[in-house]
Amino acid sequence: MTRLGVNVDHIATLREARKTNEPDPVTAALVAENAGADQITVHLRGDRRHIQDRDVELLREVIKTRLNLEMAATTEMIAFALEVRPDVCTLVPEQPNEITTQGGLNCVAHFDPLKDALRKLHEGGMAVSLFIDPEGEQIEAAGDLKVKMIELNTARYSEASLYITPANEKAIEAEFRKVRAAAEMAAEAGLQVLAGHGLTYRNVRSIVAVGEIEELNIGHNIIARASLVGLDQAVREMIALLK
Ligand code: PXP
């Protein structure tokens, strides 16, 4: 079975919208673990727009599965990771005003700074994954960087399959094939293959069928669904208090 890492960033997005203390991403992580999640994933951004340092520190203490920290390869984040010691550090590119992570790391253009970041994390005993686009040259560069794991960016497949209609079947298939070919190439090169970004209840099955992909990290669509399937109970509970 493909492992599931649940990204709880957007529980923190909701909390930070009011700068208050609910909903709590740590509580959400425990619920996700209780439901069977294999891993909790969080992205500590340089601008701290959702997850805060304290969330990661608390998660490190309380979760019973694995903690995957998505982070930019900056001096600040490397020092934080070495202190908090997540089970996996996933290096991602980060732009100040992006809505979400835009594309994978460019391991070719940023080979030397990535090598330096990986050296520091590996010397500190950390397991590191690189978030990359499903492209041959990125997989080769990741191999040259001597990582054991990569996470394939499924964003383009996810964008193509946002609406699954006969009109865009070919585009979906084309993006899916890129992910599958990249997964096969990476596994052949001896890399552990993970994937994620933008996956939904509607488009995830094809990705699950790619045997080389061992783990998926999914956030937004799970939290989006939770907000709707939980709303009925939440309204009933408030009405009960108004009686
Ligand atoms: N994997 C990585 C590397 C990511 O940056 C993200 C988004 O934080 C995800 C997976 C999860 O993406 P989504 O929230 O779209 O499911």
Side-chain angles (χ1 to χ4, degrees):
M1 200 178 124
T2 314
R3 296 192 302 272
L4 174 65
V6 176
N7 181 317
V8 295
D9 289 353
H10 294 309
I11 296 289
T13 301
L14 197 54
R15 177 191 64 190
E16 295 304 313
R18 282 289 180 94
K19 296 276 174 226
T20 181
N21 58 1
E22 286 180 313
D24 177 12
V26 179
T27 310
L30 296 176
V31 172
E33 278 193 330
N34 234 12
D38 299 292
Q39 167 171 283
I40 300 302
T41 296
V42 287
H43 184 173
L44 184 67
R45 284 184 166 269
D47 63 9
R48 306 299 196 273
R49 72 169 78 152
H50 39 54
I51 292 293
Q52 306 295 310
D53 299 38
R54 182 172 175 274
D55 297 324
V56 188
E57 287 158 6
L58 286 174
L59 284 167
R60 176 66 299 175
E61 281 182 39
V62 303
I63 66 166
K64 296 172 228 53
T65 57
R66 298 187 329 157
L67 179 61
N68 171 25
L69 177 65
E70 293 175 0
M71 53 182 259
T74 59
T75 308
E76 181 202 12
M77 286 302 155
I78 292 168
F80 181 78
L82 289 173
E83 200 184 311
V84 177
R85 309 202 67 77
D87 298 287
V88 181
C89 297
T90 300
L91 297 183
V92 299
E94 209 175 282
Q95 302 298 329
N97 293 317
E98 66 190 356
I99 292 173
T100 183
T101 311
Q102 297 296 307
L105 288 166
N106 190 336
C107 298
V108 179
H110 303 128
F111 191 87
D112 289 335
L114 281 171
K115 196 172 170 186
D116 191 45
L118 285 165
R119 183 182 52 74
K120 289 177 185 145
L121 289 165
H122 284 150
E123 278 176 10
M126 308 304 303
V128 190
S129 172
L130 297 178
F131 181 60
I132 58 172
D133 289 329
E135 292 167 5
E137 62 169 5
Q138 296 302 329
I139 294 163
E140 271 173 29
D144 293 343
L145 283 164
K146 308 255 181 300
V147 283
K148 294 199 174 75
M149 288 177 271
I150 53 152
E151 180 173 335
L152 292 174
N153 180 12
T154 53
R156 286 200 296 256
Y157 163 74
S158 297
E159 280 155 23
S161 55
L162 203 53
Y163 297 99
I164 301 175
T165 63
N168 57 12
E169 241 169 42
K170 279 202 179 121
I172 298 171
E173 182 64 18
E175 294 302 336
F176 169 70
R177 281 169 189 268
K178 285 183 202 164
V179 175
R180 188 174 58 192
E184 286 167 359
M185 179 181 170
E188 227 162 78
L191 293 162
Q192 243 179 287
V193 189
L194 327 172
H197 211 286
L199 295 174
T200 70
Y201 292 84
R202 294 169 302 285
N203 68 18
V204 75
R205 296 293 301 164
S206 308
I207 299 292
V208 170
V210 180
E212 288 80 7
I213 298 178
E214 299 175 23
E215 172 190 296
L216 296 177
N217 284 296
I218 308 181
H220 181 269
N221 208 242
I222 292 179
I223 304 304
R225 183 162 175 79
S227 74
L228 294 184
V229 297
L231 188 59
D232 179 272
Q233 184 181 337
V235 171
R236 285 174 200 280
E237 285 178 10
M238 186 55 81
I239 289 170
L241 292 172
L242 304 189
K243 278 182 184 156

